[in-house]
Coordinates of all heavy atoms in Angstrom, one line a residue:
M1 N 135.1 131.4 151.2 CA 134.0 130.7 151.8 C 133.3 131.7 152.7 O 134.0 132.3 153.5 CB 134.4 129.5 152.6 CG 133.3 128.7 153.1 SD 133.9 127.2 154.1 CE 134.7 126.2 152.8
R2 N 132.0 132.0 152.5 CA 131.3 132.9 153.4 C 130.9 132.3 154.7 O 130.9 131.1 154.8 CB 130.2 133.6 152.6 CG 129.1 132.6 152.3 CD 128.1 133.2 151.3 NE 127.1 132.3 150.9 CZ 125.9 132.0 151.5 NH1 125.6 132.7 152.6 NH2 125.1 131.2 151.0
T3 N 130.3 133.1 155.6 CA 129.8 132.6 156.9 C 128.3 132.5 156.8 O 127.6 133.3 156.2 CB 130.2 133.5 158.0 OG1 131.7 133.5 158.1 CG2 129.6 133.1 159.4
I4 N 127.8 131.4 157.3 CA 126.3 131.1 157.2 C 125.8 131.0 158.7 O 126.5 130.7 159.6 CB 125.9 129.9 156.4 CG1 126.5 128.6 157.0 CG2 126.3 130.0 155.0 CD1 126.0 127.4 156.4
V5 N 124.5 131.3 158.8 CA 123.8 131.2 160.1 C 123.0 129.8 160.1 O 122.3 129.5 159.2 CB 122.9 132.4 160.3 CG1 122.1 132.2 161.6 CG2 123.6 133.7 160.3
V6 N 123.3 129.1 161.2 CA 122.5 127.9 161.4 C 121.7 128.1 162.7 O 122.3 128.4 163.8 CB 123.4 126.6 161.6 CG1 122.6 125.4 162.0 CG2 124.2 126.4 160.4
T7 N 120.4 128.0 162.6 CA 119.5 128.2 163.7 C 118.8 126.9 164.1 O 118.1 126.3 163.3 CB 118.4 129.3 163.5 OG1 119.1 130.5 163.0 CG2 117.6 129.6 164.7
V8 N 119.0 126.5 165.3 CA 118.4 125.2 165.8 C 117.2 125.6 166.7 O 117.3 126.3 167.6 CB 119.4 124.4 166.6 CG1 118.8 123.2 167.2 CG2 120.7 124.1 165.7
C9 N 116.1 125.0 166.3 CA 114.9 125.3 167.1 C 115.1 124.6 168.5 O 115.4 123.4 168.6 CB 113.6 124.7 166.5 SG 112.2 125.0 167.5
S10 N 114.9 125.3 169.5 CA 115.0 124.8 170.9 C 113.6 124.8 171.6 O 113.5 124.7 172.8 CB 115.9 125.7 171.7 OG 117.2 125.6 171.2
G11 N 112.5 124.8 170.8 CA 111.2 124.7 171.3 C 111.0 123.3 171.8 O 111.8 122.4 171.5
T12 N 110.0 123.0 172.5 CA 109.8 121.7 173.2 C 109.8 120.5 172.3 O 110.6 119.6 172.5 CB 108.5 121.8 174.0 OG1 108.5 122.9 174.9 CG2 108.3 120.5 174.8
A13 N 109.0 120.6 171.2 CA 108.9 119.4 170.4 C 110.3 119.1 169.7 O 110.8 118.0 169.6 CB 107.9 119.7 169.3
C14 N 111.0 120.1 169.2 CA 112.2 119.9 168.5 C 113.3 119.5 169.5 O 114.1 118.6 169.2 CB 112.7 121.2 167.8 SG 111.6 121.6 166.4
Y15 N 113.3 120.1 170.7 CA 114.3 119.8 171.7 C 114.2 118.3 172.1 O 115.2 117.6 172.1 CB 114.2 120.7 172.9 CG 115.3 120.6 173.9 CD1 116.5 121.3 173.7 CD2 115.2 119.8 175.0 CE1 117.5 121.2 174.6 CE2 116.3 119.7 175.9 CZ 117.4 120.4 175.7 OH 118.4 120.3 176.6
I16 N 113.0 117.9 172.3 CA 112.8 116.5 172.8 C 113.1 115.5 171.7 O 113.7 114.4 171.9 CB 111.3 116.2 173.2 CG1 111.0 117.0 174.5 CG2 110.9 114.8 173.3 CD1 109.6 117.0 174.9
L17 N 112.9 115.8 170.4 CA 113.1 114.9 169.3 C 114.5 115.0 168.7 O 114.7 114.6 167.6 CB 112.0 115.1 168.2 CG 110.6 114.7 168.8 CD1 109.5 115.0 167.7 CD2 110.6 113.2 169.0
G18 N 115.4 115.7 169.4 CA 116.8 115.6 168.9 C 117.5 117.0 168.8 O 118.6 117.1 168.4
G19 N 116.7 118.0 169.0 CA 117.3 119.3 168.8 C 118.4 119.7 169.7 O 119.4 120.4 169.3
S20 N 118.5 119.0 170.8 CA 119.6 119.3 171.8 C 120.9 118.8 171.2 O 121.9 119.4 171.4 CB 119.3 118.7 173.2 OG 119.0 117.3 173.0
D21 N 120.8 117.6 170.5 CA 122.1 117.1 169.9 C 122.6 118.1 168.8 O 123.8 118.2 168.6 CB 121.8 115.8 169.2 CG 121.5 114.7 170.3 OD1 121.9 114.9 171.4 OD2 121.0 113.6 169.9
L22 N 121.6 118.7 168.1 CA 122.0 119.5 166.9 C 122.8 120.8 167.4 O 123.6 121.4 166.7 CB 120.8 120.0 166.2 CG 119.9 118.9 165.6 CD1 118.7 119.4 164.9 CD2 120.7 117.9 164.8
L23 N 122.6 121.2 168.7 CA 123.3 122.3 169.2 C 124.8 122.0 169.4 O 125.6 122.9 169.7 CB 122.7 122.7 170.6 CG 121.3 123.4 170.4 CD1 120.6 123.6 171.7 CD2 121.5 124.8 169.7
T24 N 125.3 120.7 169.3 CA 126.6 120.4 169.4 C 127.3 120.4 168.0 O 128.4 119.9 167.8 CB 126.8 119.0 170.0 OG1 126.3 118.0 169.1 CG2 126.2 118.9 171.3
L25 N 126.6 121.0 167.0 CA 127.1 121.0 165.6 C 128.6 121.4 165.5 O 129.4 120.7 164.8 CB 126.2 121.9 164.8 CG 126.8 122.2 163.4 CD1 126.8 121.0 162.5 CD2 126.0 123.4 162.7
R26 N 128.9 122.4 166.2 CA 130.3 122.9 166.0 C 131.4 121.9 166.4 O 132.4 121.8 165.8 CB 130.5 124.2 166.8 CG 131.7 125.0 166.4 CD 131.8 126.3 167.2 NE 130.6 127.1 167.0 CZ 130.5 127.9 166.0 NH1 131.3 127.9 165.0 NH2 129.4 128.7 165.9
D27 N 131.0 121.0 167.3 CA 132.0 120.0 167.7 C 132.2 118.9 166.7 O 133.1 118.1 166.8 CB 131.5 119.3 169.0 CG 131.4 120.2 170.2 OD1 132.1 121.3 170.2 OD2 130.6 119.9 171.1
H28 N 131.3 118.9 165.7 CA 131.4 117.8 164.7 C 131.7 118.3 163.3 O 131.8 117.6 162.3 CB 130.0 117.1 164.6 CG 129.6 116.5 165.9 ND1 130.0 115.2 166.3 CD2 128.9 117.0 167.0 CE1 129.6 115.0 167.4 NE2 128.9 116.0 167.9
L29 N 132.1 119.6 163.3 CA 132.5 120.2 162.0 C 134.0 120.3 161.9 O 134.7 120.7 162.9 CB 131.9 121.6 161.8 CG 130.4 121.7 161.4 CD1 130.0 123.2 161.4 CD2 130.2 121.1 160.1
E30 N 134.6 120.0 160.8 CA 136.0 120.1 160.6 C 136.4 121.5 160.2 O 135.5 122.2 159.7 CB 136.5 119.0 159.6 CG 136.3 117.6 160.1 CD 136.7 116.6 159.1 OE1 137.3 117.0 158.0 OE2 136.6 115.4 159.4
E31 N 137.6 121.8 160.3 CA 138.1 123.1 159.7 C 138.1 122.9 158.2 O 138.4 121.8 157.7 CB 139.5 123.4 160.2 CG 139.6 123.8 161.7 CD 139.0 125.2 161.9 OE1 138.8 126.0 161.0 OE2 138.5 125.4 163.1
P32 N 137.8 123.9 157.4 CA 137.6 125.3 157.8 C 136.0 125.5 158.1 O 135.7 126.7 158.4 CB 138.0 126.1 156.6 CG 137.7 125.2 155.5 CD 137.9 123.8 156.0
Y33 N 135.2 124.5 157.9 CA 133.8 124.7 158.0 C 133.4 125.3 159.4 O 132.5 126.2 159.4 CB 133.0 123.4 157.9 CG 133.3 122.7 156.5 CD1 134.0 121.5 156.5 CD2 132.7 123.2 155.4 CE1 134.3 120.9 155.3 CE2 132.9 122.6 154.1 CZ 133.7 121.5 154.1 OH 134.0 120.9 152.9
S34 N 133.9 124.9 160.5 CA 133.5 125.4 161.8 C 133.7 126.8 162.0 O 133.0 127.5 162.7 CB 134.2 124.6 162.9 OG 135.6 124.8 162.8
R35 N 134.7 127.4 161.2 CA 134.9 128.8 161.4 C 134.0 129.6 160.6 O 133.9 130.9 160.7 CB 136.4 129.1 160.9 CG 137.4 128.7 161.9 CD 138.8 129.2 161.5 NE 139.4 128.4 160.4 CZ 139.6 128.8 159.1 NH1 139.5 130.1 158.9 NH2 140.1 128.0 158.2
H36 N 133.1 129.0 159.8 CA 132.2 129.8 158.9 C 130.7 129.5 159.2 O 129.9 129.7 158.4 CB 132.5 129.4 157.4 CG 133.8 129.8 156.9 ND1 134.0 131.1 156.4 CD2 135.0 129.2 157.0 CE1 135.3 131.2 156.1 NE2 135.9 130.1 156.5
V37 N 130.5 129.1 160.5 CA 129.1 128.8 160.9 C 128.9 129.7 162.2 O 129.6 129.7 163.1 CB 129.0 127.4 161.2 CG1 127.6 127.1 161.9 CG2 129.0 126.5 160.0
M38 N 127.8 130.4 162.1 CA 127.3 131.1 163.3 C 126.1 130.3 163.8 O 125.1 130.1 163.1 CB 126.8 132.5 163.0 CG 128.0 133.4 162.7 SD 127.4 135.1 162.3 CE 126.5 135.5 163.7
L39 N 126.2 129.7 164.9 CA 125.2 128.7 165.5 C 124.4 129.4 166.5 O 124.9 130.1 167.5 CB 125.9 127.5 166.0 CG 125.0 126.4 166.7 CD1 124.1 125.8 165.6 CD2 125.9 125.4 167.3
A40 N 123.1 129.3 166.4 CA 122.2 130.0 167.4 C 121.0 129.0 167.7 O 120.6 128.2 166.9 CB 121.6 131.2 166.8
G41 N 120.5 129.1 168.9 CA 119.3 128.5 169.3 C 118.2 129.4 169.1 O 118.3 130.6 169.1
S42 N 116.9 128.9 169.0 CA 115.8 129.8 168.8 C 114.6 129.2 169.5 O 114.4 128.0 169.6 CB 115.5 129.8 167.3 OG 114.2 130.4 167.0
P43 N 113.7 130.1 170.0 CA 112.4 129.6 170.4 C 111.7 128.9 169.2 O 112.2 129.0 168.1 CB 111.6 130.8 170.8 CG 112.7 131.9 171.0 CD 113.8 131.5 170.1
C44 N 110.6 128.3 169.5 CA 109.8 127.6 168.4 C 109.7 128.3 167.1 O 109.4 129.5 167.1 CB 108.4 127.3 168.9 SG 107.3 126.4 167.7
L45 N 110.1 127.6 166.0 CA 110.2 128.3 164.7 C 108.8 128.2 164.0 O 108.7 128.5 162.9 CB 111.2 127.6 163.8 CG 112.6 127.7 164.2 CD1 113.6 126.8 163.4 CD2 113.1 129.2 164.1
N46 N 107.8 127.8 164.8 CA 106.4 127.7 164.3 C 106.3 126.7 163.1 O 105.4 127.0 162.2 CB 105.9 129.1 164.0 CG 105.8 129.9 165.2 OD1 105.3 129.5 166.3 ND2 106.2 131.2 165.1
R47 N 107.0 125.7 163.1 CA 107.0 124.7 162.0 C 106.4 123.4 162.5 O 106.0 122.5 161.7 CB 108.3 124.4 161.4 CG 108.9 125.6 160.6 CD 108.0 125.9 159.4 NE 108.6 127.0 158.6 CZ 108.7 126.9 157.3 NH1 108.3 125.9 156.7 NH2 109.2 127.9 156.6
C48 N 106.4 123.2 163.8 CA 106.1 121.9 164.4 C 104.6 121.5 164.2 O 104.3 120.3 164.2 CB 106.4 121.9 165.9 SG 105.8 123.2 166.8
K49 N 103.8 122.4 164.0 CA 102.3 122.1 163.8 C 102.0 122.1 162.3 O 100.8 121.8 161.9 CB 101.5 123.1 164.5 CG 101.6 123.0 166.0 CD 100.9 124.1 166.7 CE 101.2 124.0 168.2 NZ 101.3 125.2 168.9
D50 N 102.9 122.3 161.4 CA 102.7 122.4 160.0 C 103.0 121.0 159.3 O 104.2 120.7 159.2 CB 103.4 123.5 159.3 CG 103.2 123.6 157.8 OD1 102.3 122.9 157.3 OD2 103.9 124.4 157.2
R51 N 102.0 120.3 159.0 CA 102.3 119.0 158.4 C 102.2 119.0 156.8 O 102.4 118.0 156.1 CB 101.3 117.9 158.9 CG 101.3 117.7 160.3 CD 102.6 117.0 160.8 NE 102.6 116.7 162.2 CZ 103.6 116.8 163.0 NH1 104.7 117.3 162.5 NH2 103.5 116.5 164.3
S52 N 102.1 120.2 156.3 CA 101.9 120.3 154.8 C 103.1 119.9 154.0 O 103.0 119.4 152.9 CB 101.5 121.7 154.4 OG 102.6 122.6 154.8
E53 N 104.3 119.9 154.6 CA 105.5 119.5 153.9 C 106.0 118.1 154.3 O 107.0 117.7 153.9 CB 106.6 120.6 154.1 CG 106.2 121.9 153.5 CD 107.3 123.0 153.8 OE1 108.4 122.6 154.4 OE2 107.0 124.1 153.5
N54 N 105.1 117.4 155.1 CA 105.5 116.1 155.5 C 106.8 116.0 156.2 O 107.6 115.1 156.1 CB 105.5 115.1 154.3 CG 105.3 113.7 154.8 OD1 104.8 113.4 155.9 ND2 105.8 112.8 154.0
K55 N 107.1 117.0 157.0 CA 108.3 117.1 157.8 C 107.9 117.1 159.2 O 106.8 117.3 159.6 CB 109.1 118.4 157.5 CG 109.7 118.5 156.1 CD 110.4 119.8 155.9 CE 110.9 119.9 154.5 NZ 111.4 121.2 154.3
R56 N 108.9 116.8 160.1 CA 108.6 116.8 161.5 C 109.8 117.3 162.3 O 110.9 117.4 161.7 CB 108.3 115.3 162.0 CG 109.3 114.3 161.6 CD 108.8 112.9 162.0 NE 108.6 112.8 163.4 CZ 109.3 112.0 164.2 NH1 110.3 111.3 163.8 NH2 109.1 112.0 165.5
P57 N 109.7 117.6 163.5 CA 110.8 118.1 164.3 C 111.9 117.0 164.4 O 111.6 115.8 164.3 CB 110.2 118.3 165.7 CG 108.7 118.4 165.5 CD 108.4 117.5 164.3
P58 N 113.2 117.4 164.6 CA 113.6 118.8 164.9 C 113.8 119.6 163.6 O 114.3 119.1 162.6 CB 114.9 118.6 165.7 CG 115.4 117.3 165.2 CD 114.2 116.4 164.9
Y59 N 113.5 120.9 163.8 CA 113.7 121.8 162.6 C 114.9 122.7 162.9 O 115.2 123.1 164.0 CB 112.5 122.8 162.5 CG 111.2 122.1 162.0 CD1 110.3 121.5 162.8 CD2 111.1 122.0 160.6 CE1 109.2 120.9 162.3 CE2 110.0 121.3 160.1 CZ 109.0 120.8 161.0 OH 107.9 120.2 160.5
V60 N 115.6 123.0 161.8 CA 116.7 124.0 161.8 C 116.6 124.8 160.5 O 115.9 124.5 159.6 CB 118.1 123.3 161.8 CG1 118.2 122.3 162.9 CG2 118.3 122.5 160.5
T61 N 117.2 126.0 160.6 CA 117.4 126.7 159.4 C 118.9 126.8 159.1 O 119.7 126.9 160.0 CB 116.9 128.2 159.4 OG1 117.6 128.9 160.4 CG2 115.4 128.2 159.8
V62 N 119.2 126.6 157.8 CA 120.6 126.6 157.4 C 120.7 127.7 156.3 O 120.0 127.5 155.2 CB 121.1 125.3 156.9 CG1 122.6 125.4 156.3 CG2 121.1 124.3 157.9
D63 N 121.3 128.8 156.6 CA 121.4 129.9 155.6 C 120.0 130.3 155.1 O 119.8 130.6 154.0 CB 122.3 129.5 154.4 CG 122.8 130.6 153.6 OD1 123.0 131.8 154.2 OD2 123.1 130.5 152.4
G64 N 119.1 130.3 156.1 CA 117.7 130.8 155.8 C 116.7 129.8 155.3 O 115.5 130.1 155.2
K65 N 117.2 128.6 154.9 CA 116.3 127.6 154.4 C 115.9 126.6 155.6 O 116.8 126.2 156.3 CB 117.0 126.8 153.3 CG 116.1 125.7 152.7 CD 116.7 125.1 151.5 CE 115.9 124.0 150.9 NZ 116.6 123.3 149.8
V66 N 114.6 126.2 155.6 CA 114.1 125.4 156.7 C 114.3 124.0 156.4 O 113.9 123.5 155.3 CB 112.7 125.8 157.1 CG1 112.2 124.8 158.2 CG2 112.5 127.2 157.4
Y67 N 114.8 123.2 157.3 CA 114.9 121.7 157.2 C 114.2 121.1 158.4 O 114.4 121.5 159.5 CB 116.4 121.3 157.2 CG 117.2 121.8 156.0 CD1 117.7 123.1 156.1 CD2 117.3 121.0 154.9 CE1 118.5 123.5 155.0 CE2 118.1 121.5 153.8 CZ 118.6 122.8 153.9 OH 119.4 123.2 152.8
G68 N 113.5 120.0 158.1 CA 112.9 119.2 159.2 C 113.5 117.8 159.2 O 114.4 117.5 158.4
N69 N 113.1 117.0 160.2 CA 113.6 115.6 160.4 C 115.1 115.6 160.5 O 115.8 114.7 160.1 CB 113.2 114.8 159.2 CG 111.8 114.8 158.9 OD1 110.9 115.0 159.7 ND2 111.5 114.6 157.6
M70 N 115.7 116.7 161.1 CA 117.1 116.8 161.1 C 117.8 115.9 162.1 O 117.4 115.8 163.2 CB 117.5 118.3 161.3 CG 118.9 118.6 161.1 SD 119.6 118.2 159.5 CE 118.9 119.5 158.4
T71 N 118.9 115.4 161.6 CA 119.8 114.6 162.5 C 121.2 115.3 162.5 O 121.4 116.2 161.6 CB 120.0 113.1 162.0 OG1 120.7 113.2 160.8 CG2 118.7 112.4 161.9
L72 N 122.0 115.0 163.5 CA 123.3 115.7 163.5 C 124.1 115.3 162.3 O 124.8 116.2 161.7 CB 124.0 115.2 164.8 CG 125.4 115.9 165.1 CD1 125.2 117.4 165.0 CD2 125.9 115.4 166.4
E73 N 124.1 114.0 161.9 CA 124.8 113.6 160.7 C 124.3 114.4 159.4 O 125.1 114.9 158.6 CB 124.6 112.1 160.5 CG 125.4 111.6 159.3 CD 125.2 110.1 159.1 OE1 124.4 109.5 159.8 OE2 125.9 109.5 158.2
T74 N 123.0 114.5 159.3 CA 122.5 115.2 158.1 C 122.8 116.7 158.2 O 123.1 117.3 157.1 CB 121.0 115.0 158.0 OG1 120.7 113.6 157.9 CG2 120.4 115.7 156.8
L75 N 122.8 117.3 159.4 CA 123.1 118.7 159.5 C 124.5 119.0 159.1 O 124.8 119.9 158.5 CB 122.8 119.2 161.0 CG 123.0 120.6 161.3 CD1 122.2 121.5 160.3 CD2 122.7 121.0 162.7
V76 N 125.5 118.1 159.6 CA 126.9 118.3 159.2 C 127.0 118.3 157.7 O 127.7 119.2 157.1 CB 127.7 117.2 159.9 CG1 129.1 117.2 159.2 CG2 127.8 117.5 161.4
K77 N 126.4 117.3 157.1 CA 126.5 117.2 155.6 C 125.8 118.4 154.9 O 126.4 118.9 153.9 CB 125.8 115.9 155.1 CG 126.6 114.7 155.5 CD 125.9 113.4 155.0 CE 126.6 112.2 155.4 NZ 125.9 111.0 155.1
T78 N 124.7 118.8 155.4 CA 124.0 120.0 154.8 C 124.8 121.2 154.9 O 125.0 122.0 153.9 CB 122.7 120.2 155.5 OG1 121.9 119.0 155.4 CG2 121.9 121.4 154.9
V79 N 125.4 121.5 156.1 CA 126.2 122.7 156.3 C 127.4 122.6 155.4 O 127.8 123.7 154.7 CB 126.6 122.8 157.8 CG1 127.8 123.8 158.0 CG2 125.4 123.2 158.6
Q80 N 128.1 121.5 155.3 CA 129.3 121.4 154.4 C 128.9 121.6 153.0 O 129.7 122.3 152.3 CB 130.0 120.1 154.7 CG 130.6 119.9 156.0 CD 131.2 118.6 156.3 OE1 130.9 117.6 155.5 NE2 132.0 118.4 157.3
S81 N 127.8 121.1 152.6 CA 127.3 121.3 151.2 C 127.0 122.7 150.9 O 127.4 123.2 149.8 CB 126.1 120.4 151.0 OG 125.6 120.7 149.7
V82 N 126.4 123.4 151.8 CA 126.0 124.8 151.6 C 127.3 125.7 151.5 O 127.5 126.5 150.6 CB 125.1 125.3 152.7 CG1 124.9 126.8 152.6 CG2 123.7 124.6 152.5
L83 N 128.2 125.4 152.4 CA 129.5 126.1 152.4 C 130.3 125.8 151.2 O 131.0 126.7 150.6 CB 130.3 125.9 153.7 CG 129.6 126.5 155.0 CD1 130.4 126.0 156.2 CD2 129.7 128.0 154.9
D84 N 130.4 124.6 150.8 CA 131.1 124.2 149.6 C 130.6 125.0 148.3 O 131.4 125.3 147.4 CB 131.1 122.7 149.3 CG 132.0 122.0 150.3 OD1 132.9 122.6 150.8 OD2 131.7 120.7 150.4
A85 N 129.3 125.2 148.3 CA 128.6 125.9 147.2 C 128.8 127.4 147.3 O 128.4 128.1 146.3 CB 127.2 125.5 147.1
S86 N 129.2 127.9 148.4 CA 129.3 129.4 148.5 C 130.6 129.9 148.0 O 131.6 129.3 147.8 CB 129.1 129.7 150.0 OG 130.2 129.4 150.8
Ligands
FES1 S1 109.2 123.4 168.6 FE1 110.5 123.5 166.9 S2 109.2 124.3 165.3 FE2 108.0 124.4 167.1

């Protein structure tokens, strides 16, 4: 299993709409997943004003792919799925 980077947007819109919860990701991942995630916060990812994909904050990137409307539960599942496929 390789290590992936998860970047949580900590810009104002994302932070207010749940981004702060996403920063607790590591506390909600079981082994061995938690050992294979590099978690980082980021200034605005410049997605919050883009409605073309019908997504909304909070935004994260998981292994380079952008996800919107993210919840902690969905982020845990997404990370596990990406790691399982790696
Ligand atoms: S505040 Fe998160 S994308 Fe702008």
Side-chain angles (χ1 to χ4, degrees):
M1 187 181 291
R2 63 190 174 92
T3 297
I4 61 171
V5 177
V6 175
T7 304
V8 176
C9 180
S10 298
T12 303
C14 290
Y15 190 85
I16 289 172
L17 292 172
S20 56
D21 290 342
L22 304 179
L23 290 169
T24 66
L25 170 66
R26 196 177 299 283
D27 296 336
H28 299 273
L29 286 173
E30 297 177 2
E31 290 289 338
Y33 300 109
S34 62
R35 287 187 283 117
H36 293 273
V37 171
M38 291 179 57
L39 180 64
S42 169
C44 178
L45 293 171
N46 296 317
R47 294 295 184 132
C48 50
K49 295 176 182 140
D50 181 6
R51 300 286 186 227
S52 61
E53 297 177 6
N54 200 25
K55 295 178 183 174
R56 54 183 301 247
Y59 287 94
V60 304
T61 66
V62 178
D63 200 26
K65 184 175 178 184
V66 178
Y67 296 85
N69 308 331
M70 188 55 78
T71 65
L72 185 55
E73 181 180 6
T74 303
L75 182 57
V76 167
K77 289 179 181 173
T78 301
V79 166
Q80 290 175 347
S81 175
V82 170
L83 287 172
D84 284 341
S86 68

